[in-house]
PDB file of all heavy atoms in Angstrom:
ATOM      1  N   THR B 293     -48.439 -53.038   5.139  1.00 84.00           N
ATOM      2  CA  THR B 293     -49.910 -53.288   5.006  1.00 84.00           C
ATOM      3  C   THR B 293     -50.571 -52.463   4.030  1.00 84.00           C
ATOM      4  O   THR B 293     -51.783 -52.214   4.078  1.00 84.00           O
ATOM      5  CB  THR B 293     -50.504 -53.099   6.425  1.00 84.00           C
ATOM      6  OG1 THR B 293     -50.220 -51.738   6.856  1.00 84.00           O
ATOM      7  CG2 THR B 293     -50.031 -54.091   7.478  1.00 84.00           C
ATOM      8  N   ALA B 294     -49.792 -51.973   3.035  1.00 81.00           N
ATOM      9  CA  ALA B 294     -50.357 -51.109   2.017  1.00 81.00           C
ATOM     10  C   ALA B 294     -51.377 -51.794   1.165  1.00 81.00           C
ATOM     11  O   ALA B 294     -51.285 -52.969   0.890  1.00 81.00           O
ATOM     12  CB  ALA B 294     -49.230 -50.540   1.122  1.00 81.00           C
ATOM     13  N   ALA B 295     -52.364 -50.967   0.837  1.00 82.00           N
ATOM     14  CA  ALA B 295     -53.459 -51.492  -0.033  1.00 82.00           C
ATOM     15  C   ALA B 295     -52.955 -51.290  -1.452  1.00 82.00           C
ATOM     16  O   ALA B 295     -52.076 -50.483  -1.769  1.00 82.00           O
ATOM     17  CB  ALA B 295     -54.719 -50.685   0.187  1.00 82.00           C
ATOM     18  N   PRO B 296     -53.491 -52.054  -2.416  1.00 82.00           N
ATOM     19  CA  PRO B 296     -53.112 -51.930  -3.835  1.00 82.00           C
ATOM     20  C   PRO B 296     -53.376 -50.458  -4.278  1.00 82.00           C
ATOM     21  O   PRO B 296     -54.485 -49.911  -3.924  1.00 82.00           O
ATOM     22  CB  PRO B 296     -54.084 -52.856  -4.593  1.00 82.00           C
ATOM     23  CG  PRO B 296     -54.518 -53.885  -3.558  1.00 82.00           C
ATOM     24  CD  PRO B 296     -54.463 -53.180  -2.216  1.00 82.00           C
ATOM     25  N   GLY B 297     -52.480 -49.898  -4.980  1.00 80.00           N
ATOM     26  CA  GLY B 297     -52.690 -48.493  -5.405  1.00 80.00           C
ATOM     27  C   GLY B 297     -51.996 -47.486  -4.508  1.00 80.00           C
ATOM     28  O   GLY B 297     -51.826 -46.330  -4.906  1.00 80.00           O
ATOM     29  N   ASP B 298     -51.566 -47.896  -3.295  1.00 81.00           N
ATOM     30  CA  ASP B 298     -50.871 -46.946  -2.416  1.00 81.00           C
ATOM     31  C   ASP B 298     -49.463 -46.765  -3.015  1.00 81.00           C
ATOM     32  O   ASP B 298     -48.878 -47.697  -3.541  1.00 81.00           O
ATOM     33  CB  ASP B 298     -50.687 -47.558  -1.040  1.00 81.00           C
ATOM     34  CG  ASP B 298     -52.047 -47.504  -0.213  1.00 81.00           C
ATOM     35  OD1 ASP B 298     -52.965 -46.892  -0.766  1.00 81.00           O
ATOM     36  OD2 ASP B 298     -52.131 -48.168   0.787  1.00 81.00           O
ATOM     37  N   ARG B 299     -48.987 -45.552  -2.961  1.00 82.00           N
ATOM     38  CA  ARG B 299     -47.677 -45.235  -3.599  1.00 82.00           C
ATOM     39  C   ARG B 299     -46.663 -44.750  -2.538  1.00 82.00           C
ATOM     40  O   ARG B 299     -46.229 -43.648  -2.573  1.00 82.00           O
ATOM     41  CB  ARG B 299     -47.927 -44.161  -4.658  1.00 82.00           C
ATOM     42  CG  ARG B 299     -48.960 -44.566  -5.660  1.00 82.00           C
ATOM     43  CD  ARG B 299     -49.356 -43.473  -6.664  1.00 82.00           C
ATOM     44  NE  ARG B 299     -48.184 -43.156  -7.574  1.00 82.00           N
ATOM     45  CZ  ARG B 299     -47.608 -41.980  -7.604  1.00 82.00           C
ATOM     46  NH1 ARG B 299     -47.953 -41.000  -6.820  1.00 82.00           N
ATOM     47  NH2 ARG B 299     -46.628 -41.837  -8.480  1.00 82.00           N
ATOM     48  N   PHE B 300     -46.358 -45.694  -1.649  1.00 84.00           N
ATOM     49  CA  PHE B 300     -45.354 -45.382  -0.602  1.00 84.00           C
ATOM     50  C   PHE B 300     -43.966 -45.078  -1.244  1.00 84.00           C
ATOM     51  O   PHE B 300     -43.507 -45.738  -2.123  1.00 84.00           O
ATOM     52  CB  PHE B 300     -45.195 -46.528   0.359  1.00 84.00           C
ATOM     53  CG  PHE B 300     -46.298 -46.477   1.458  1.00 84.00           C
ATOM     54  CD1 PHE B 300     -47.501 -47.192   1.183  1.00 84.00           C
ATOM     55  CD2 PHE B 300     -46.169 -45.793   2.585  1.00 84.00           C
ATOM     56  CE1 PHE B 300     -48.441 -47.147   2.128  1.00 84.00           C
ATOM     57  CE2 PHE B 300     -47.136 -45.759   3.557  1.00 84.00           C
ATOM     58  CZ  PHE B 300     -48.275 -46.455   3.311  1.00 84.00           C
ATOM     59  N   GLY B 301     -43.389 -43.951  -0.785  1.00 82.00           N
ATOM     60  CA  GLY B 301     -42.064 -43.510  -1.322  1.00 82.00           C
ATOM     61  C   GLY B 301     -42.199 -42.621  -2.476  1.00 82.00           C
ATOM     62  O   GLY B 301     -41.268 -41.925  -2.892  1.00 82.00           O
ATOM     63  N   LYS B 302     -43.365 -42.551  -3.075  1.00 83.00           N
ATOM     64  CA  LYS B 302     -43.595 -41.671  -4.286  1.00 83.00           C
ATOM     65  C   LYS B 302     -44.574 -40.576  -3.984  1.00 83.00           C
ATOM     66  O   LYS B 302     -44.917 -39.772  -4.890  1.00 83.00           O
ATOM     67  CB  LYS B 302     -44.040 -42.525  -5.463  1.00 83.00           C
ATOM     68  CG  LYS B 302     -43.024 -43.525  -5.880  1.00 83.00           C
ATOM     69  CD  LYS B 302     -43.564 -44.434  -7.000  1.00 83.00           C
ATOM     70  CE  LYS B 302     -42.633 -45.486  -7.307  1.00 83.00           C
ATOM     71  NZ  LYS B 302     -43.170 -46.611  -8.106  1.00 83.00           N
ATOM     72  N   GLY B 303     -45.008 -40.489  -2.754  1.00 84.00           N
ATOM     73  CA  GLY B 303     -45.976 -39.411  -2.388  1.00 84.00           C
ATOM     74  C   GLY B 303     -47.295 -40.041  -1.960  1.00 84.00           C
ATOM     75  O   GLY B 303     -48.292 -40.068  -2.676  1.00 84.00           O
ATOM     76  N   GLU B 304     -47.290 -40.518  -0.738  1.00 89.00           N
ATOM     77  CA  GLU B 304     -48.483 -41.226  -0.207  1.00 89.00           C
ATOM     78  C   GLU B 304     -48.857 -40.583   1.119  1.00 89.00           C
ATOM     79  O   GLU B 304     -48.045 -40.566   2.070  1.00 89.00           O
ATOM     80  CB  GLU B 304     -48.209 -42.710  -0.069  1.00 89.00           C
ATOM     81  CG  GLU B 304     -49.233 -43.546   0.666  1.00 89.00           C
ATOM     82  CD  GLU B 304     -50.552 -43.465  -0.007  1.00 89.00           C
ATOM     83  OE1 GLU B 304     -50.657 -43.811  -1.207  1.00 89.00           O
ATOM     84  OE2 GLU B 304     -51.569 -43.002   0.658  1.00 89.00           O
ATOM     85  N   LEU B 305     -50.165 -40.138   1.198  1.00 90.00           N
ATOM     86  CA  LEU B 305     -50.532 -39.434   2.423  1.00 90.00           C
ATOM     87  C   LEU B 305     -50.511 -40.346   3.596  1.00 90.00           C
ATOM     88  O   LEU B 305     -50.224 -39.956   4.736  1.00 90.00           O
ATOM     89  CB  LEU B 305     -51.991 -38.958   2.213  1.00 90.00           C
ATOM     90  CG  LEU B 305     -52.186 -37.694   1.338  1.00 90.00           C
ATOM     91  CD1 LEU B 305     -53.609 -37.366   1.131  1.00 90.00           C
ATOM     92  CD2 LEU B 305     -51.466 -36.474   1.932  1.00 90.00           C
ATOM     93  N   LYS B 306     -50.734 -41.661   3.372  1.00 91.00           N
ATOM     94  CA  LYS B 306     -50.683 -42.610   4.542  1.00 91.00           C
ATOM     95  C   LYS B 306     -49.219 -42.636   5.098  1.00 91.00           C
ATOM     96  O   LYS B 306     -49.114 -42.786   6.300  1.00 91.00           O
ATOM     97  CB  LYS B 306     -51.076 -44.012   4.043  1.00 91.00           C
ATOM     98  CG  LYS B 306     -52.516 -44.234   3.788  1.00 91.00           C
ATOM     99  CD  LYS B 306     -52.752 -45.652   3.363  1.00 91.00           C
ATOM    100  CE  LYS B 306     -54.236 -45.983   2.956  1.00 91.00           C
ATOM    101  NZ  LYS B 306     -54.413 -47.204   2.453  1.00 91.00           N
ATOM    102  N   GLY B 307     -48.235 -42.495   4.246  1.00 91.00           N
ATOM    103  CA  GLY B 307     -46.899 -42.516   4.798  1.00 91.00           C
ATOM    104  C   GLY B 307     -46.617 -41.331   5.771  1.00 91.00           C
ATOM    105  O   GLY B 307     -46.022 -41.484   6.777  1.00 91.00           O
TER     106      GLY B 307
END
Side-chain angles (χ1 to χ4, degrees):
Chain B
T293 55
D298 288 349
R299 302 175 70 241
F300 278 90
K302 294 173 184 168
E304 172 58 57
L305 286 173
K306 285 181 183 175

